[in-house]
Amino acid sequence: MALAQVRADALAARLAALPAAAGGSGWLAAARSQAAARLAGMGLPARRDEYWRYTDPATLNAPAPEPAARFDAGEPPVFDAIDRVRLVFVDGVFDPAASDDPALAGVEIVRLAAAGAADIHWARDIYGALEARAHDPVPRPFAALNTAHATDGVLIRVTGRAARPVSLIYRHESETSDAILHHCVRVEPGAALTLLENGPGAARLNTVLEVEVAEGGAFHHVRAQGRDHQRRAVTHLFARLGARALFKSFTLTANGRLTRNEAVIEIAGPQASAHIAGAAVGDGDFHHDDTVFVIHGAEGCESRQVYKKVLKHGAVGVFQGKILVRPGAQKTDGYQLSQSLLLDEDSQFLAKPELEIYADDVKCSHGSTAGAIDPAALFYLRSRGVPLAQAQALLVLAFLGEALDEIADPALADEVRARLEGWLERHAG
């Protein structure tokens, strides 16, 4: 069967199982219609697609999600010690009773459905727009599916420095939930926001986060994925940066049968900086895929991609990262690092780093390695009386340190480090 027909058949089956398309009128209905047209032209991905060769999309394509049991690690929810404004989604539906008053953040926050009912809204220029730009040159069908069929989400506009971080909390209650969430963020000139995300969300979760950071704005993003091991997720982060804008995103992933995190960061203004990083720890039937595309389109900009994975008992890690430097983007400083620590001979790390450069005055580099714990370092710690499990944990945390350093807020970095220590303790041996 032709590959195009395989994609089309998978899409038809997936759409037939979805509930009726979400409502909306005016700008939202138009954005959904355009996304549906994009999706129809692509179909859903197949294993033979270049950027899905390492990750089988079958369970993401399936009409219904595979059941995912809830899991309690015995720890309080991540970020609980952080003073933040909580916005809670249960199986993909906003829960106002469990959420804080959005006004406490000092920013404009509105639900997608409410904004979609208005004739004119600032999100019109963002919702689906960054997603649409991200399909060149690689199709991202699950992102188009999200834009066309998202059931909920929030739109956040920041005009100053947010009083507190905004925290999106995803709770998983139904073992067969299938959630599609779409969020948009606009950081106005000189404004700043910290956005937190955590929780398993659903048995199968599809999220899109579109972020526009205007001139001199700053956006900090810290995300924790984990808890329920049987969950599956595909996430998308699309961002566009103006002049002298700062964008920093970090993702911690612990547990999860299948997670694919896609990111497309477009640096459109001069002197802007984009840092995106991640740390993943997996044990057993764990498949984690980071697919990242950073586009330099202006002079004097900087980007960093730092990804570290720790894998054991047959876990699989994937990294597909690209830096594109467009003509005229002189003085670009692009850095890409992907490394994996394999704690046994059964695990594997699959990497595809890429540079594509069309300017002649740039500094770009990439590195990708996979290996075991350094036996000399382990012997050094053991010879000084450190127990084996503790010595291994110390070396794993040191390996992940460069990725954790990308978190600007020390309190958030300490919270993430504590969660990693807890995971290592539970999975020792």
Side-chain angles (χ1 to χ4, degrees):
M1 184 182 295
L3 184 57
Q5 189 62 48
V6 171
R7 297 191 189 105
D9 290 347
L11 176 59
R14 184 83 162 85
L15 293 180
L18 286 175
S25 59
W27 69 269
L28 182 56
R32 291 189 186 279
S33 177
Q34 292 163 11
R38 289 193 294 274
L39 179 61
M42 291 182 280
L44 291 183
R47 189 66 182 271
R48 286 190 289 164
D49 290 339
E50 177 64 22
Y51 279 87
W52 287 90
R53 61 186 298 188
Y54 299 136
T55 299
D56 188 351
T59 56
L60 300 174
N61 287 345
E66 295 189 13
R70 298 176 61 198
F71 169 75
D72 185 1
E75 296 177 323
V78 68
F79 306 135
D80 252 21
I82 304 298
D83 183 19
R84 58 199 170 129
V85 176
R86 301 172 305 148
L87 304 178
V88 179
F89 294 83
V90 179
D91 291 327
V93 179
F94 181 68
D95 185 348
S99 303
D100 296 326
D101 180 0
L104 296 174
V107 301
E108 176 188 327
I109 301 176
V110 63
R111 286 181 68 182
L112 176 61
D119 292 333
I120 299 176
H121 195 273
W122 60 262
R124 177 184 60 185
D125 298 328
I126 299 178
Y127 185 92
L130 302 189
E131 172 256 305
R133 295 171 67 90
H135 296 289
D136 181 17
V138 179
R140 304 178 192 277
F142 290 116
L145 174 71
N146 182 297
T147 300
H149 294 277
T151 56
D152 214 334
V154 291
L155 311 176
I156 303 172
R157 179 170 172 263
V158 191
T159 57
R161 184 169 295 275
R164 300 178 187 175
V166 175
S167 178
L168 305 179
I169 301 170
Y170 307 129
R171 293 179 181 168
H172 171 204
E173 300 292 346
S174 169
E175 292 192 355
T176 57
S177 54
D178 194 8
I180 303 178
L181 292 170
H182 196 118
H183 311 298
C184 295
V185 176
R186 170 175 280 174
V187 180
E188 299 289 2
L193 173 71
T194 296
L195 182 71
L196 310 178
E197 293 185 89
N198 73 282
R204 182 170 65 182
L205 179 66
N206 179 337
T207 67
V208 166
L209 173 61
E210 296 181 284
V211 181
E212 185 170 69
V213 187
E215 181 176 353
F219 178 78
H220 295 269
H221 175 232
V222 181
R223 174 171 57 177
Q225 303 169 318
R227 197 190 77 173
D228 298 352
H229 180 65
Q230 294 178 349
R231 66 174 179 81
R232 290 171 170 82
V234 55
T235 77
H236 311 85
L237 174 58
F238 304 126
R240 183 168 54 199
L241 312 185
R244 297 183 299 283
L246 172 65
F247 175 96
K248 298 197 74 171
S249 177
F250 173 89
T251 299
L252 166 68
T253 305
N255 301 332
R257 186 71 61 86
L258 170 64
T259 304
R260 178 171 169 116
N261 296 325
E262 296 196 16
V264 180
I265 315 300
E266 181 181 357
I267 306 176
Q271 308 299 319
S273 177
H275 291 209
I276 184 164
V281 288
D283 188 348
D285 54 348
F286 170 93
H287 187 104
H288 186 269
D289 180 337
D290 285 303
T291 296
V292 184
F293 193 13
V294 176
I295 304 164
H296 284 265
E299 290 189 4
C301 296
E302 173 204 50
S303 70
R304 287 177 60 87
Q305 301 175 44
V306 181
Y307 285 88
K308 302 287 189 93
K309 302 181 193 291
V310 178
L311 308 168
K312 64 190 298 188
H313 296 151
V316 177
V318 176
F319 175 79
Q320 301 179 109
K322 183 170 185 175
I323 299 174
L324 169 63
V325 182
R326 287 179 169 159
Q330 306 293 355
K331 307 296 183 182
T332 285
D333 182 356
Y335 174 79
Q336 181 191 93
L337 178 69
S338 60
Q339 294 181 321
S340 181
L341 191 61
L342 306 179
L343 300 184
D344 55 38
E345 295 184 356
D346 298 323
S347 300
Q348 56 180 321
F349 177 55
L350 307 168
K352 184 185 177 185
E354 298 177 86
L355 299 177
E356 188 173 346
I357 302 171
Y358 298 99
D360 55 12
D361 186 6
V362 303
K363 181 173 68 174
C364 291
S365 64
H366 66 72
S368 184
T369 63
I373 287 179
D374 182 357
L378 185 61
F379 176 79
Y380 177 87
L381 293 173
R382 296 285 285 124
S383 68
R384 279 150 181 78
V386 180
L388 177 60
Q390 184 179 353
Q392 289 177 330
L394 287 171
L395 293 174
V396 167
L397 288 171
F399 168 77
L400 296 171
E402 186 174 359
L404 296 178
D405 288 344
E406 293 296 320
I407 304 175
D409 187 327
L412 293 174
D414 290 343
E415 178 80 5
V416 170
R417 188 172 288 104
R419 296 307 163 129
L420 285 169
E421 290 173 351
W423 187 94
L424 291 169
E425 183 178 344
R426 290 192 299 275
H427 292 261

